[in-house]
Amino acid sequence: MQTVRLVKEMGYERIYCTCGMAVLPRDPSPDLTMKIKKVAREAGAQFLLNDISVHPEFRDMYGIKSLPAVVVGEKAYPPDEELIRKALRDAG
């Protein structure tokens, strides 16, 4: 099974709750996430969302030049739907 990995910087929100303070991740661009997730599902690929602040090694591992980036296989691409579809077909 192929994997489509969306790599971007996530935001975080602190909220007070009964346990004290909780830190929740917040997606700064949910529309982009949903578009890339839809492309991955159409192709039958697994979708992963990764925060670059948690995984800074992804920049070197996949040669990511700018964020957000989409990784298909071992190559990074800009988050363009048609480009990702083509990469999935070629990797297929």
Side-chain angles (χ1 to χ4, degrees):
M1 173 182 273
Q2 294 181 356
T3 300
V4 174
R5 184 183 304 268
L6 176 58
V7 181
K8 63 182 179 175
E9 194 164 343
M10 299 290 285
Y12 292 91
E13 180 179 358
R14 291 185 174 154
I15 62 167
Y16 292 100
C17 62
T18 56
C19 64
M21 183 181 292
V23 179
L24 302 173
R26 207 174 110 232
D27 189 347
S29 53
D31 293 341
L32 173 65
T33 302
M34 292 310 295
K35 285 180 189 178
I36 301 302
K37 187 175 187 177
K38 179 183 171 198
V39 170
R41 285 189 175 162
E42 286 172 358
Q46 178 183 17
F47 174 78
L48 299 172
L49 176 60
N50 295 112
D51 184 357
I52 196 70
S53 63
V54 176
H55 299 284
E57 70 276 8
F58 284 178
R59 284 189 189 273
D60 293 331
M61 282 175 59
Y62 300 115
I64 296 172
K65 304 287 186 228
S66 64
L67 295 174
V70 178
V71 177
V72 176
E74 296 296 318
K75 290 185 69 180
Y77 300 92
D80 178 86
E81 291 177 64
E82 292 307 313
L83 186 60
I84 302 309
R85 282 187 179 97
K86 183 180 181 318
L88 284 164
R89 281 192 304 270
D90 291 348

